[in-house]
Amino acid sequence: MSVAPKLREVFVEALDLDTDVDVENLKYRDLEAWDSVGHMALVAAIEDEFDVEFDTDQVIDMSSFKVAVDMVTELQSKND
C-alpha cells in the first residue's frame, strides 16, 4: 500500500496547511510553513506516524513530498 495518502495527511497537519494545498508537488521552502523549523517538525511527525527514523543525510535530502514518499517507502521495506 502506498504511503502517499497518509503522508499527505502528515504534511497537512505538521505544516498546518490548508487542505487545498497541492501537497504532492510541494518542495522544501515552497511555503513559509516549510522552513527549517517546519522541516524538523515535519520530520518528527513522519517518524512518529510511520515508526521510522531518518539519518542526518536523509533529513537534509528530504526536499519534496515525492522524496519523502520514496524515503518512507524505502525505510518501511527495510523494517519488513
Side-chain angles (χ1 to χ4, degrees), residues 36-48:
S36 59
V37 174
H39 187 72
M40 295 313 297
L42 177 62
V43 167
I46 294 170
E47 288 180 332
D48 287 346

Side-chain angles (χ1 to χ4, degrees), residues 43 47 53-61 71 75 78:
V43 167
E47 288 180 332
E53 187 172 329
F54 298 108
D55 64 29
T56 303
D57 289 338
Q58 290 170 317
V59 171
I60 293 169
D61 291 343
M71 287 180 174
L75 288 171
K78 289 180 180 177

Side-chain angles (χ1 to χ4, degrees), residues 17-35:
L17 303 176
D18 291 333
T19 55
D20 62 344
V21 171
D22 182 11
V23 175
E24 285 75 13
N25 291 309
L26 196 60
K27 294 180 181 166
Y28 181 59
R29 295 192 186 258
D30 273 354
L31 302 171
E32 188 174 319
W34 197 0
D35 59 6

Side-chain angles (χ1 to χ4, degrees), residues 2-12 22-28 30 34 42 46 62-72:
S2 172
V3 301
K6 189 64 181 175
L7 189 58
R8 185 185 191 291
E9 293 176 18
V10 173
F11 266 68
V12 168
D22 182 11
V23 175
E24 285 75 13
N25 291 309
L26 196 60
K27 294 180 181 166
Y28 181 59
D30 273 354
W34 197 0
L42 177 62
I46 294 170
M62 189 184 300
S63 58
S64 70
F65 176 80
K66 291 177 182 176
V67 170
V69 168
D70 292 343
M71 287 180 174
V72 171

